[in-house]
């Protein structure tokens, strides 16, 4: 499934993207990696190369369509094919909506989490069609339910889900897998999450609750879902019930989510 295939991974300088890159390298997949922090990206690339695969590391910003096109061009120049696009780059927020001072927060979240995926998918699609490949979109359980302090993030992940669902109906030759993880441990997402002033929080608090999943566990689940050609992967699986419960008892879901966030200064 993975040996001698070519995967593009956006957001490969840390967290889930870096873990996926290494896991695929260990399975013999050649890689084109993308992110803005070049030194960290090069570190991931070096680790992957030590597994014996070829790797191109492209520095760029997913919010810029031309950077996304350059990534795809670089992958084609090096490998002449693309089998998997893993659209993983993302950014979060931690702020109550009524306290946000810089509305640019919402623009950045949509530009990164939603448009970044759209730009990469658009540039890669002809090659994915040619290889009958796979587009893996890293969304979040927040693509299906709301979470307080995350209005803009939740909206951007809902947008990702809508886009991928519609795209799957347009393309027969390309398999689309949507990944919806719960909180992950071992990533930089919280540290870089945008605060109310529009800048990164640069703090590891608020702390993770005990249900957070390790990136490596998430990574293994994603590779397994790719192998099984699943359409959707919710991690952990028990959260699959939430959207159904939301249809029947939306107030119970609101209570459950607010209860999980109770350390985070929420309205009573
Ligand atoms: N952590 C969680 O609890 C959690 C839960 C559900 C879903 N997810 C999703 O998982 C994905 C990976 O996040 P993570 O948790 O692994 O966080 P992370 O460690 O912060 O990784 C985010 C990656 O995205 C890249 N990125 C951010 N903005 C970018 C931009 N404008 N252009 C190019 N690359 C950009 C970052 O690289 P640079 O900063 O170097 O550009 C980094 O490599 C995200 O889509 C996130 O929404 C995470």
């Amino acid at each position: 499934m993975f040996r001698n295939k070519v995967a593009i991974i956006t957001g490969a300088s840390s967290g889930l993207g870096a873990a996926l890159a290494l896991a695929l390298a260990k399975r013999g997949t050649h890689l084109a990696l993308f992110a803005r922090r070049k030194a960290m990206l090069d570190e991931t690339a070096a680790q992957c190369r030590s597994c014996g695969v070829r790797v191109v590391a492209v520095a760029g910003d997913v919010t810029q369509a031309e950077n996304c096109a350059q990534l795809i061009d670089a992958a084609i120049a090096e490998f002449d094919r693309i089998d998997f696009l893993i659209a993983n780059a993302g950014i979060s927020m931690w702020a109550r909506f009524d306290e946000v001072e810089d509305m640019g927060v919402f623009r950045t979240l949509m530009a990164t989490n939603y448009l970044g995926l759209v730009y990469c998918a658009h540039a890669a699609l002809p090659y994915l069609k040619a290889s009958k490949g796979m587009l893996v979109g890293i969304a979040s359980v927040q693509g299906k339910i709301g979470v307080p302090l995350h209005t803009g993030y939740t909206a951007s992940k809902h947008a990702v889900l809508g886009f991928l669902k519609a795209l799957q109906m347009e393309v027969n030759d390309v398999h689309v897998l949507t990944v919806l993880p719960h909180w992950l441990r071992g990533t930089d997402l919280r540290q870089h999450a945008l605060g109310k002033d529009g800048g990164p929080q640069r703090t590891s608090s608020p702390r993770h609750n005990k249900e957070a999943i390790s990136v490596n566990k998430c990574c293994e689940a994603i590779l397994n879902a790719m192998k099984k050609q699943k359409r959707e992967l919710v991690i952990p699986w028990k959260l699959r019930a939430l959207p159904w419960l939301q249809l029947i008892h939306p107030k119970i879901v609101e209570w459950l989510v607010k209860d999980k966030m109770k350390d985070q200064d929420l309205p009573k």
Side-chain angles (χ1 to χ4, degrees), residues 10-18 34-38 40 60-63 87-92 112-113 138-141 153 157 179-190 192 208 215:
T10 68
S13 58
S14 62
L16 182 59
F34 188 72
R36 293 163 303 176
R37 291 170 294 171
K38 185 69 165 81
M40 291 183 67
D61 185 338
V62 283
T63 68
N88 162 78
I91 192 163
S92 186
T112 309
N113 298 349
I138 307 297
S140 162
V141 286
Y153 181 76
K157 294 297 186 179
V179 180
L180 299 94
H182 183 35
W183 305 126
L184 299 178
R185 234 180 302 118
T187 86
D188 289 352
L189 198 73
R190 288 192 177 204
H192 294 154
H208 280 298
V215 265

Side-chain angles (χ1 to χ4, degrees), residues 94 141 181-187 189-190 204 206-219 235-236 238-239 260 264:
W94 280 87
V141 286
H182 183 35
W183 305 126
L184 299 178
R185 234 180 302 118
T187 86
L189 198 73
R190 288 192 177 204
S204 55
R207 63 190 181 281
H208 280 298
N209 70 35
K210 58 181 185 310
E211 287 168 26
I213 312 147
S214 78
V215 265
N216 288 332
K217 201 168 169 191
C218 182
C219 199
I235 313 167
K238 66 178 181 183
L239 291 188
K260 294 285 173 209
Q264 325 286 345

Side-chain angles (χ1 to χ4, degrees), residues 84-102:
F84 310 118
L85 166 64
I86 304 183
N88 162 78
I91 192 163
S92 186
M93 73 180 284
W94 280 87
R96 287 177 53 116
F97 180 65
D98 55 9
E99 289 178 357
V100 173
E101 294 152 7
D102 179 354

Side-chain angles (χ1 to χ4, degrees), residues 135 162-177 230-231:
L135 166 57
F163 170 77
L164 292 175
K165 269 194 200 124
L167 180 66
Q168 179 67 92
M169 287 191 263
E170 287 183 17
V171 290
N172 292 325
D173 288 348
V174 179
H175 184 85
V176 178
L177 165 64
K230 287 196 173 173
R231 284 261 196 262

Side-chain angles (χ1 to χ4, degrees), residues 1-92:
M1 167 84 188
F2 298 115
R3 186 153 301 280
N4 286 324
K5 296 286 176 61
V6 174
I8 294 185
I9 306 177
T10 68
S13 58
S14 62
L16 182 59
L20 279 166
L22 196 56
L24 282 170
K26 285 177 181 163
R27 287 163 173 80
T29 309
H30 305 295
L31 297 163
L33 306 179
F34 188 72
R36 293 163 303 176
R37 291 170 294 171
K38 185 69 165 81
M40 291 183 67
L41 193 66
D42 285 343
E43 225 172 272
T44 308
Q47 283 179 8
C48 294
R49 281 190 198 102
S50 71
C51 300
V53 297
R54 285 157 61 203
V55 184
V56 256
V58 181
D61 185 338
V62 283
T63 68
Q64 307 301 311
E66 60 278 19
N67 284 193
C68 299
Q70 282 158 5
L71 164 67
I72 305 306
D73 289 348
I76 290 300
E78 179 72 19
F79 305 115
D80 203 29
R81 63 178 291 130
I82 299 168
D83 298 287
F84 310 118
L85 166 64
I86 304 183
N88 162 78
I91 192 163
S92 186

